[in-house]
Amino acid sequence: MSLELSFHGAAGCVTGFCARLTTARASVLIDCGMFQGPKTLKALNYDQFPFEVDAIDAVLLTHSHIDHSGLLPKLMRAGFRGPILATAGTRDLCEVMLPDAGDIQESEVRRLNRRNQQRGRAEVEPIYTARDAQRTLELFRVVKLGHTVDVAPGITARYWEAGHILGSASIEVTVETEEGPVTLLFSGDLGPGGRDFLPDPEGPSGVDHLIVESTYGGRSRPMLDPAARRRLLAQELRDAQRAGGPLLIPAFAVERSQELLADLQILTRDGEIPEADIFLDSPLAIEATEVFQRRGWSPVMEANPFADLRSSGRLKFLKEPQESDQLERLRGWHVILAASGMCDAGRVRKHLKRLLWRRDATVLLPGFQAQGTLGRILAEGAQTVSIEGEPISVRARVRSLDIYSGHADHDGLVRWASARGPVRGQVFLAHGEPEGLEGLRDGLAKAGFDPGRLVIPDLDERFILSKAGAAPSPGPARILPTAASRPDWHNARARLMLDLNARLDALPSDAAREALLESLARALAHVDAGQSAGRPMAPV
């Protein structure tokens, strides 16, 4: 029987991971994640799946992050009723994350439909609802690390510690074929190792095919022990306090928020940072923190570092919207942690809207920012950004402190992949932007991997696997390969509108502004005329 591997997410980009293994007897998904970033990419969340949902027998889930789990309720809504295999930590986190994602879908669609009504456009429906998410949780089946489990006819799986977040795993899949068993190892997202809150990533050796993430495949970070990490954070806190205003930290609700809170508690206890009220302004992060307080045992620290986060009395949990709104009244030094970590949704956008223009405020970006996200735009030094359609001047201090990444860097990925050898077949590089993918490919080649066996798949690309090789299998693609990894026309339009407004404001007179607008109108008329004539456009 033939064995086919296809990539339906996080191919050429870092979000929406979804791979599919298909044999004559079964079809299995590894993750079913939501796309994030440019609107062209996020639009795929609303499209039909590029496979027959009824044919899927099971889902193997590496971890709870929404870019790996976020379309599971959509899968259920489309008719999937098979098991979703995950660790206990992943299941517990999905119990809070998936309904929260459904709530976000419903609230965003309500706002969008109000705008659509005003503009005379058709209404849209959410991808799924919180109720859909609750029903999806009934499909979860808990697996233990190191145990082999039956998945579907001819397919078994074993989960390994990935060290990325609580409950995260790499998944070794064994498929029975006519030439014997074929083993594939899906890395999931890999942790950097050397952390006090999580174990180091592990995995088997001698697999047939390896599928590895490459978020930081093109970047190396300095190795920091926990004490050095906290020293760098403390310096940022002291600088923000000297600026005189609040510190806003856009943080992922799961893992990043909890690690930051634990470090802030340690630094405050040791007198390394000025005392401050700390507001966790994310219902999801609050619920996730409760999971960490139950399951966050650290074998390195021989303790649960999250168990007593509120012991100082300075940490405030803000669950209700009105509690969040009251932060607008505060002045002076305080700290706000709010989701989302890439500034793409959630309460953080409200805080950015009211703080970015203030010179006494500080925004600290503590992790990876995907292409096309507001966080990436801020990290790249934008002077003006658009939030909810409004231009906002960036006068606040914007700082990046990439020391809390849950991802292994270039060197860590090469070490982990090398330890999985010998890899008899292909190494597929996924979950990365072009720089990361190409950087990891170069690093693996230098480490001794056969360059001809290092493959960077495109979105929806398919491969027929044997025990020692892979052959591309032609199939339709939903978007052009380059569209997954770069800002789209929505980003360009927002940038153009911001630039136009800035240019109009800078002109010395209304006459000059009218002249600029008239020249733009002529350019648009020229474009319209060319399209009507069906000819290529010449420069204006």
Side-chain angles (χ1 to χ4, degrees):
M1 72 184 76
S2 65
L3 171 59
E4 183 180 271
L5 170 64
S6 51
F7 293 85
H8 301 301
C13 62
V14 295
T15 66
F17 189 83
C18 180
R20 179 168 55 107
L21 278 176
T22 305
T23 72
R25 301 171 62 193
S27 186
V28 172
L29 295 184
I30 295 84
D31 291 345
C32 191
M34 182 175 286
F35 291 99
Q36 299 162 311
K39 289 185 178 180
T40 297
L41 204 54
K42 289 193 289 188
L44 297 177
N45 296 324
Y46 291 87
D47 292 346
Q48 290 185 344
F49 287 107
F51 47 78
E52 293 294 329
V53 172
D54 292 345
I56 304 300
D57 295 287
V59 177
L60 307 177
L61 184 59
T62 61
H63 64 290
S64 60
H65 276 155
I66 290 299
D67 66 320
H68 291 257
S69 70
L71 290 187
L72 287 171
K74 177 185 175 182
L75 192 73
M76 184 281 304
R77 191 168 174 168
F80 173 73
R81 295 296 182 270
I84 300 170
L85 280 67
T87 65
T90 293
R91 198 274 175 203
D92 285 0
L93 288 173
C94 281
E95 188 173 11
V96 299
M97 295 181 73
L98 293 179
D100 178 78
D103 279 335
I104 290 173
Q105 292 298 318
E106 293 180 81
S107 62
E108 287 188 346
V109 163
R110 281 195 296 269
R111 288 195 295 270
L112 177 59
N113 282 337
R114 283 195 293 269
R115 293 199 299 271
N116 284 347
Q117 287 176 343
Q118 294 167 351
R119 299 169 183 174
R121 297 177 181 175
E123 293 188 359
V124 298
E125 291 187 2
I127 302 169
Y128 57 84
T129 66
R131 178 174 172 78
D132 293 327
Q134 291 290 353
R135 292 174 58 203
T136 304
L137 294 169
E138 299 171 6
L139 304 178
F140 274 70
R141 175 179 153 200
V142 171
V143 299
K144 293 183 178 179
L145 293 178
H147 289 223
T148 299
V149 295
D150 293 327
V151 177
I155 300 177
T156 60
R158 182 164 52 157
Y159 283 51
W160 295 81
E161 176 63 61
H164 173 59
I165 66 168
L166 178 68
S168 63
S170 300
I171 304 178
E172 177 189 4
V173 183
T174 302
V175 183
E176 295 298 332
T177 71
E178 293 176 352
E179 60 176 334
V182 175
T183 58
L184 303 94
L185 180 61
F186 295 84
S187 72
D189 287 356
L190 294 168
R195 301 161 77 187
D196 47 358
F197 298 145
L198 279 171
D200 292 351
E202 301 175 343
S205 59
V207 299
D208 293 320
H209 300 283
L210 182 62
I211 299 89
V212 60
E213 67 121 322
S214 51
T215 308
Y216 281 94
R219 295 170 58 186
S220 295
R221 299 188 303 265
M223 293 294 291
L224 295 176
D225 60 27
R229 180 189 72 225
R230 283 189 274 268
R231 283 196 297 271
L232 290 175
L233 178 63
Q235 186 60 56
E236 294 292 342
L237 268 287
R238 290 192 291 266
D239 291 345
Q241 192 264 350
R242 280 193 290 270
L247 168 62
L248 173 63
I249 306 178
F252 294 111
V254 176
E255 197 74 42
R256 190 69 42 77
S257 290
Q258 291 75 35
E259 290 188 352
L260 282 162
L261 289 175
D263 275 354
L264 288 171
Q265 183 188 49
I266 293 170
L267 291 170
T268 301
R269 182 196 65 202
D270 295 346
E272 296 295 325
I273 59 174
E275 287 200 3
D277 285 330
I278 301 170
F279 300 93
L280 183 58
D281 190 18
S282 166
L284 173 58
I286 293 168
E287 292 187 64
T289 299
E290 294 168 354
V291 175
F292 276 73
Q293 290 176 317
R294 294 196 308 270
R295 293 192 175 274
W297 176 265
S298 165
V300 177
M301 302 177 76
E302 295 185 342
N304 184 340
F306 313 104
D308 61 346
L309 286 177
R310 303 184 73 174
S311 61
S312 69
R314 303 301 295 265
L315 174 59
K316 319 290 183 183
F317 284 177
L318 307 183
K319 286 189 175 182
E320 302 302 326
Q322 58 269 27
E323 295 176 308
S324 176
D325 293 341
Q326 290 173 1
L327 293 178
E328 295 186 20
R329 304 176 186 175
L330 294 183
R331 294 293 180 267
W333 165 243
H334 56 279
V335 179
I336 303 169
L337 276 73
S340 70
M342 296 185 192
C343 309
D344 248 13
R347 295 181 181 179
V348 72
R349 293 175 72 87
K350 172 185 64 177
H351 296 306
L352 288 167
K353 194 173 180 179
R354 70 181 182 83
L355 294 177
L356 277 176
W357 60 271
R358 289 175 48 179
R359 297 187 187 279
D360 66 342
T362 301
V363 176
L364 178 61
L365 302 169
F368 182 80
Q369 306 295 318
Q371 187 68 257
T373 62
L374 177 56
R376 179 69 161 261
I377 293 168
L378 287 169
E380 291 177 345
Q383 299 298 304
T384 308
V385 297
S386 177
I387 301 178
E388 296 176 347
E390 294 185 33
I392 308 294
S393 295
V394 181
R395 299 190 182 96
R397 299 171 65 251
V398 177
R399 301 283 298 161
S400 295
L401 189 65
D402 197 3
I403 58 174
Y404 282 91
S405 176
H407 290 272
D409 68 355
H410 170 90
D411 298 336
L413 290 169
V414 171
R415 284 195 302 270
W416 184 88
S418 298
R420 310 284 76 81
V423 179
R424 289 175 282 273
Q426 251 65 15
V427 178
F428 295 95
L429 308 182
H431 204 286
E433 294 174 355
E435 178 187 359
L437 294 162
E438 293 161 9
L440 182 56
R441 180 173 59 187
D442 293 344
L444 291 175
K446 291 176 182 177
F449 284 83
D450 180 355
R453 293 184 177 272
L454 300 174
V455 181
I456 299 176
D458 292 327
L459 186 66
D460 297 322
E461 191 168 7
R462 305 176 183 190
F463 299 86
I464 302 298
L465 304 184
S466 64
K467 199 167 178 62
S473 175
R478 286 171 286 173
I479 60 175
L480 293 173
T482 56
S485 60
R486 57 179 171 81
D488 62 11
W489 70 269
H490 298 278
N491 299 107
R493 178 179 62 180
R495 183 74 263 163
L496 175 63
M497 295 305 298
L498 291 171
D499 290 345
L500 174 60
N501 289 334
R503 183 69 62 86
L504 289 169
D505 289 341
L507 289 174
S509 66
D510 288 347
R513 296 182 183 98
E514 290 172 0
L516 175 59
L517 293 173
E518 287 174 3
S519 67
L520 291 174
R522 287 195 298 272
L524 290 174
H526 180 76
V527 171
D528 290 341
Q531 290 177 338
S532 298
R535 62 175 183 269
M537 295 308 303
V540 178

